[in-house]
Amino acid sequence: MNKIELIPAIDLIGGECVRLQKGDYSQKTVYDSDPVRVAERLEREGFRRLHIVDLDGARERRVVNHSVLSAITSATSLTVDFGGGITSSADIDAALHAGASMVTVGSVAMKQPALFEEWLSTYGASHLILGADVREGKIAVSGWEEQSSVDLFSFLDYWTARGVCNVLCTDISRDGMLSGPATDLYRSIMQQYPTLHLIASGGVKDTADILSLAEAGIPAVVFGKAYYEGRISTETLMSHGTD
């Protein structure tokens, strides 16, 4: 079994741990009012990495929940990547200052490529994750509320040629739906960019989905709803040698 990096997600709205369906803010489920408590539980269960999404920030195009990020990184030793609303150098600085090890950027890479290229130079590719959120093969931005005409693979071609090494690819149609991940899509990405640290996101419904992604050679996976609804067996994942 190939190793796969396990990255549970905490999505934030109003300081609470939530999940949306297909990125629809009107279809919100609150799973816990205390995201710090959730992060501490994840660490106790053996997870070492955490993906935090500031959904308020994604809508407002500025970091909103930095205080929650700071509280989580102060209370745990988890390696945290943070995304949602990163639109300026000040936002990146605020996230890194609050304890994030990496930030995820999608909309700026799409709308202001010169700025994102500047960030790659300033912060280094190891501290930046390119958010490639896709709906029907095209990139979507601004909390998935804006659809572009840019093809996913054209987007990846452009940025991998400029040094991007970490990509979080979310199939929006599957996100929060427990319908299974877009394994064929992720396999195609890895075939074209074999050295990419690809993080698969969207649709994971159970432990078996994660193990199948590992078998397919996908380097990392983000999951949320399946975990919160008790469909993920941490013990099984750890026993299979996943990270």
Side-chain angles (χ1 to χ4, degrees), residues 176-214:
M177 300 305 293
L178 300 174
S179 57
T183 306
D184 289 343
L185 171 64
Y186 303 132
R187 190 183 285 114
S188 295
I189 293 172
M190 290 310 301
Q191 286 171 349
Q192 193 150 334
Y193 314 99
T195 63
L196 194 65
H197 189 72
L198 175 67
I199 306 167
S201 172
V204 169
K205 67 181 181 299
D206 54 24
T207 307
D209 279 346
I210 294 175
L211 296 178
S212 70
L213 286 168

Side-chain angles (χ1 to χ4, degrees), residues 5 18 20-21 35 61 86 94 157 166 170 193 197 215 227:
E5 188 174 23
V18 308
L20 306 181
Q21 291 188 14
R61 301 180 190 179
I86 303 288
D157 280 346
N166 301 297
T170 302
Y193 314 99
H197 189 72
E215 192 65 40
Y227 172 82

Side-chain angles (χ1 to χ4, degrees), residues 37-118:
R37 178 171 59 206
V38 174
E40 290 175 328
R41 182 176 72 240
L42 289 166
E43 185 172 40
R44 285 197 304 272
E45 291 176 351
F47 294 105
R48 299 194 289 272
R49 175 88 180 263
L50 180 64
H51 176 63
I52 298 179
V53 183
D54 184 351
L55 290 172
D56 294 311
R59 292 191 93 173
E60 296 190 26
R61 301 180 190 179
R62 64 181 181 88
V63 174
V64 173
N65 285 290
H66 48 77
S67 61
V68 179
L69 168 62
S70 182
I72 287 173
T73 58
S74 296
T76 73
S77 299
L78 294 166
T79 298
V80 177
D81 69 81
F82 181 84
I86 303 288
T87 58
S88 68
S89 299
D91 288 327
I92 297 179
D93 292 338
L96 296 177
H97 181 72
S101 298
M102 291 160 278
V103 296
T104 302
V105 179
S107 298
V108 168
M110 181 71 220
K111 295 181 169 183
Q112 299 172 270
L115 179 57
F116 187 59
E117 198 163 347
E118 181 182 311

